[in-house]
Amino acid sequence: MRQLRFADGLEHMFRRYHADAFLARMRWSLLVAAAVFLLFALLDAISLPEPVRTQVLALRLGLIMPTLALAGFATYLPRLRPWLQWTASAASLVCGLGVVGIIGVARAHAFPLPYEGIILVIFAVYFLTGLRFMPAMLCGWVTFVAYLGMEMLAGTPGHVLLYNAFFVGSANLIGTAGCYFLEYAVRQHFLSQRRLQEMAEKDFLTGLLNRRAFSARAASTWRQAQREKHAVGVAMMDVDYFKRYNDHYGHAAGDETLRQVAQVLGQHARRPLDIVARYGGEEFVGLWYDLSAQDMQALLERVRAGVAALDLPHAASDASPRVSISIGLAYLQPQPGEGIEDALRLADMALYQAKEQGRDRVVCKQPQGPGSTG
């Protein structure tokens, strides 16, 4: 955390969160920057002598303004959303180097143009643009080094350059520290939100997703499968004769059994788009993305075998002397006009058939016709 980086999977989620949270701010910052540069261009047109005026306006209106316009346009293109940090960084760097160039033009013509414009750009990069710490720091310090190089090439007296460098460097130090703590706070907020979301989405007993969270995630995965034309397997799973188990062994033992069954399910849903959840009571539900029908049935057979391997006695069961699970699988490729509810209904029919056939088995149904494995 102190290095402002999470583990890879969580870092990817944070960057998407940051891009969404700061998108509006980035757009407004580009608009504000464009307005400020236009005001300075008006001031230049009024106050600067020739040929300084023409060269400065060329940098402001011919380089900086088009760059800001392109960066603003990029924020409205969804396919560029993952690259907005670097798009905004490039625009910020062009602004910083452009201002360095403007001051350089003034120095070349011995015109006393204030250097403080660099400080304005630096503070805007760190605190206004919505850049994360690393790209903001790179922009700020590259601009600082470019400014020092320009002043030395222009022959600025040493005592003047010393004070200018001190102020611009101090602005960078303040910006670096401030931007670090801002991103640290944003990351803490992200983690807090994630913990609250996990608490709202998790079933308190098993640690799996709850029914509401499954419905939301499964609907999203279903839409993705429709777009990408991939098949999904949706399974309804029921611990056999669980009411009898509770009556015979007690609710505390029943809760522990559900936790152990949930662990088996979780071990078979490790890919990013795999989803398993407690649907209610002793019933579980799962969705697996882009597996063949054979692989899907084989996976669920491993789930069934994994539950059996827990070797939990169930003296009240008519299906097995140990805890077992019945599984109904709906295997299909989502079609236009269909929803996840259609797959759940088909999986529920398959589960009913599994129970009718004696439980402790996997039954698969597809829209074209049923098939089963025992």
Side-chain angles (χ1 to χ4, degrees), residues 142-314:
V142 168
T143 299
F144 171 68
V145 171
Y147 169 72
L148 287 184
M150 178 276 297
E151 291 284 26
M152 286 188 285
L153 287 175
T156 301
H159 66 283
V160 175
L161 178 57
L162 177 64
Y163 273 91
N164 289 1
F166 183 81
F167 278 107
V168 177
S170 297
N172 257 304
L173 287 174
I174 293 170
T176 298
C179 192
Y180 174 88
F181 288 118
L182 281 174
E183 183 171 335
Y184 189 92
V186 171
R187 286 175 178 268
Q188 286 185 315
H189 180 68
F190 165 74
L191 286 178
S192 297
Q193 280 196 328
R194 182 165 172 78
R195 290 191 188 103
L196 289 173
Q197 183 178 1
E198 287 180 351
M199 289 174 61
E201 291 184 340
K202 291 293 180 68
D203 173 64
F204 75 96
L205 177 64
T206 63
L208 298 179
L209 295 177
N210 57 33
R211 182 170 181 167
R212 183 180 64 178
F214 173 82
S215 297
R217 296 194 186 188
S220 175
T221 303
W222 182 271
R223 291 191 295 269
Q224 181 173 338
Q226 285 180 323
R227 291 192 304 270
E228 298 179 356
K229 302 187 184 306
H230 287 313
V232 297
V234 177
M236 298 291 289
M237 297 163 278
D238 199 81
V239 179
D240 295 324
Y241 297 107
F242 188 71
K243 184 179 184 304
R244 295 184 188 179
Y245 188 92
N246 270 341
D247 293 340
H248 187 85
Y249 295 98
H251 289 278
D255 289 348
E256 178 59 28
T257 293
L258 290 178
R259 279 192 284 266
Q260 292 192 46
V261 170
Q263 289 177 1
V264 173
L265 293 175
Q267 291 167 4
H268 293 84
R270 298 187 179 276
R271 300 181 307 160
L273 294 179
D274 294 343
I275 311 168
V276 290
R278 186 183 180 195
Y279 210 57
E282 72 276 18
E283 195 168 28
F284 298 88
V285 63
L287 183 150
W288 287 266
Y289 186 81
D290 193 25
L291 290 175
S292 69
Q294 293 77 16
D295 288 342
M296 189 69 246
Q297 288 189 245
L299 182 147
L300 292 178
E301 283 291 353
R302 291 195 297 273
V303 169
R304 187 190 64 80
V307 171
L310 294 174
D311 201 24
L312 301 172
H314 191 347

